[in-house]
Amino acid sequence: MGLARGAQGARHLEMDPLNSAVSIHSGRVYKPGWLPLQRDSRELGRWGEWIALKHLRKLRWDMVARNWKGFGGEVDLIAYDGPFLVFVEVKTRRGPVTRAPEERVDWKKERKLDELAFDFLVSHEISETPVRLDVIAVETTDLRGFVLRHYRNV
């Protein structure tokens, strides 16, 4: 897995299910705390972040922050995976889509996440800690069933 250039020169995530850095899960929300009733993209994004948060908690990651706002942007989730401080970008899509959610993480977004991670480390005086950037893609059609793809170290 990694970033590659497409036919039009745009960078996108390569989806390689054989790569050990990618994990794919499907699930069902049986008793959701809330479901976005409208097609508001912010509400859908919050729902996807909630699904991603449940996934990371199941992996026993130590959560540090949700929706951390730094200079010029926001990081969806920040957590410790063992010794790594991981900055997680969550992308959620509803219904049949032409592009996978993770393909929306382009080089501009990746650069912005790098800057936000640096801003977080400096503002919290964190050093000597290995850092990683992960992307979690969540796809759903009915907000009850979903497919989650977790890309590590993109």
Side-chain angles (χ1 to χ4, degrees):
M1 193 213 58
L3 290 173
R5 290 207 178 270
Q8 298 173 344
R11 286 174 46 167
H12 63 277
L13 289 172
E14 291 178 346
M15 294 185 294
D16 182 3
L18 300 177
N19 189 329
S20 62
V22 179
S23 57
I24 301 173
H25 304 274
S26 61
R28 195 118 181 102
V29 180
Y30 293 105
K31 293 185 179 180
W34 57 273
L35 287 175
L37 300 175
Q38 300 176 350
R39 289 187 174 256
D40 184 319
S41 63
R42 286 175 292 171
E43 290 295 314
L44 182 62
R46 286 181 56 214
W47 179 84
E49 290 169 11
W50 178 70
I51 295 295
L53 179 65
K54 287 180 62 165
H55 166 71
L56 297 177
R57 284 184 175 159
K58 195 174 189 179
L59 295 175
R60 300 196 180 278
W61 286 24
D62 295 321
M63 300 309 300
V64 174
R66 286 182 71 181
N67 300 320
W68 183 82
K69 290 173 180 53
F71 183 72
E74 176 181 286
V75 178
D76 295 329
L77 300 169
I78 303 172
Y80 277 101
D81 176 20
F84 291 93
L85 183 59
V86 185
F87 295 83
V88 182
E89 175 69 12
V90 180
K91 290 294 185 186
T92 308
R93 292 292 173 266
R94 182 177 183 182
V97 294
T98 56
R99 289 176 61 192
E102 60 270 27
E103 291 179 4
R104 299 199 182 263
V105 179
D106 59 6
W107 66 271
K108 290 178 189 174
K109 183 67 174 179
E110 188 179 349
R111 184 175 66 201
K112 177 55 73 178
L113 290 170
D114 286 341
E115 292 169 358
L116 287 167
F118 180 76
D119 188 17
F120 183 87
L121 294 171
V122 169
S123 65
H124 290 85
E125 299 178 2
I126 299 172
S127 62
E128 305 298 321
T129 300
V131 174
R132 194 175 81 211
L133 172 63
D134 288 9
V135 173
I136 294 180
V138 181
E139 287 187 64
T140 183
T141 55
D142 59 4
L143 298 174
R144 295 194 185 279
F146 62 88
V147 174
L148 179 147
R149 288 182 299 279
H150 183 171
Y151 297 88
R152 290 177 168 82
N153 201 30
V154 296

